[in-house]
Amino acid sequence: MNIFNLLNAMPGALAQGLIWGITAIGIYLTYRILDIADLTVDGSLCTGGAVCIMMMLSGQNVFVSMLAATLAGMLTGLATGVFHTFMGIPAILAGILTQLGLYSVNLKIMGKANQAINVDKYDLLVSLRYIKDVPVYKNTILIVAASILILIALLYWFFGTELGCSLRATGCNGNMARAQGINTNFAKVLGLMLSNGLVGLSGALLSQYQGFSDVNMGRGAIVIGLAAVIIGEAVFGRIFHNFACKLAGVVLGSILYYLVLQTVIWLGIDTNLLKLLSALVVAVFLAIPYWKSRYFNRPSLKKGGRANA
């Protein structure tokens, strides 16, 4: 094993971690803020990639294509929100239904299971080739990092507004939010749309980066996104308390995930086991708070023998 091979692969892992960090932010919005387990992302990631690639293949500008991909992602969130709020379907099942339907939708968008785009023929914003030996303004890592900073600033502003606070209140305590006159159904739908819009944008960047869009490219996206969220909170949770910093911590968790993944591949682990490894990582990090409360935070005894809960 040559250490230089690992170092040579790290910039690519960093770029992928940043791109998936946008997906992780979207998952954070539903998982932590709205307290909804949204499985739509496995389909909406591919939807964003498919829309972006097909629009660029038809001659559209890359920025117009990415905007369309974001809007398409928001529509997938709207579908899940309607299933959940208007039709009364539990959130997790609503996400599964949307994800299932999006498989056919994505096939129709692309016309086949896979659509490739050539970086030499089309003006892509990001690409695997734009990692090394390119001008600074074309460097994928810098472009995605700058985009993430802009997204975090916009989200920080939005969640400080009255509408953003209503989303946070809905996720914190829906009954109390309704008592304060907040339309919690609207807040849930809007949150799902924002989340999947970010996932669609991430899918657009990912499809450009890898040079193709595939109908299965979103499979396991929820696991990767959750891994990023959980790792980011576990590593940076005690340091980052500000909302914007928490979002940045999620992105850093995504980067750490991909750096570790690249190291595992370099060590010669069977790549067929990577998704199993991801699932185990998420399971362990989700279990840590329970283990801490169950086995390590022993109640202290007050005078008189009463436990201090």
Side-chain angles (χ1 to χ4, degrees), residues 131-194:
I131 298 292
K132 302 175 184 176
D133 303 321
V134 293
V136 173
Y137 65 88
K138 291 187 72 174
N139 188 284
T140 293
I141 294 173
L142 293 179
I143 289 173
V144 180
S147 301
I148 288 173
L149 289 176
I150 294 170
L151 283 173
I152 289 176
L154 289 173
L155 289 171
Y156 182 76
W157 166 80
F158 172 75
F159 280 98
T161 64
E162 184 177 347
L163 184 57
C165 288
S166 70
L167 265 71
R168 298 169 79 168
T170 298
C172 184
N173 190 323
N175 293 329
M176 181 62 72
R178 279 190 293 273
Q180 297 297 319
I182 295 173
N183 187 336
T184 54
N185 284 341
F186 174 77
K188 288 177 183 179
V189 172
L190 179 60
L192 287 165
M193 290 177 68
L194 282 175

Side-chain angles (χ1 to χ4, degrees), residues 17-86:
L18 284 167
I19 292 171
W20 278 95
I22 299 176
T23 294
I25 290 175
I27 291 173
Y28 180 87
L29 295 184
T30 50
Y31 182 65
R32 285 300 187 209
I33 294 182
L34 280 182
D35 195 24
I36 291 175
D38 179 30
L39 299 183
T40 314
V41 295
D42 279 19
S44 58
L45 184 84
C46 178
T47 302
V51 169
C52 180
I53 293 299
M54 294 309 295
M55 289 195 67
M56 291 194 70
L57 289 176
S58 66
Q60 292 294 330
N61 178 277
V62 63
F63 295 104
V64 173
S65 302
M66 289 172 60
L67 176 61
T70 304
L71 293 174
M74 294 180 75
L75 285 176
T76 66
L78 175 62
T80 300
V82 169
F83 283 152
H84 176 49
T85 59
F86 181 71

Side-chain angles (χ1 to χ4, degrees), residues 90-101:
I92 191 167
L93 183 55
I96 293 172
L97 290 173
T98 306
Q99 175 200 134
L100 182 65

Side-chain angles (χ1 to χ4, degrees), residues 197-243:
L198 290 173
V199 174
L201 174 62
S202 179
L205 289 169
L206 182 62
S207 60
Q208 290 180 64
Y209 176 80
Q210 62 191 14
F212 66 91
S213 178
D214 186 88
V215 73
N216 291 314
M217 65 183 280
R219 183 171 293 177
I222 185 66
V223 176
I224 296 173
L226 275 177
V229 171
I230 301 303
I231 292 172
E233 289 182 338
V235 176
F236 304 104
R238 292 182 178 274
I239 306 171
F240 297 156
H241 301 288
N242 179 274
F243 179 68

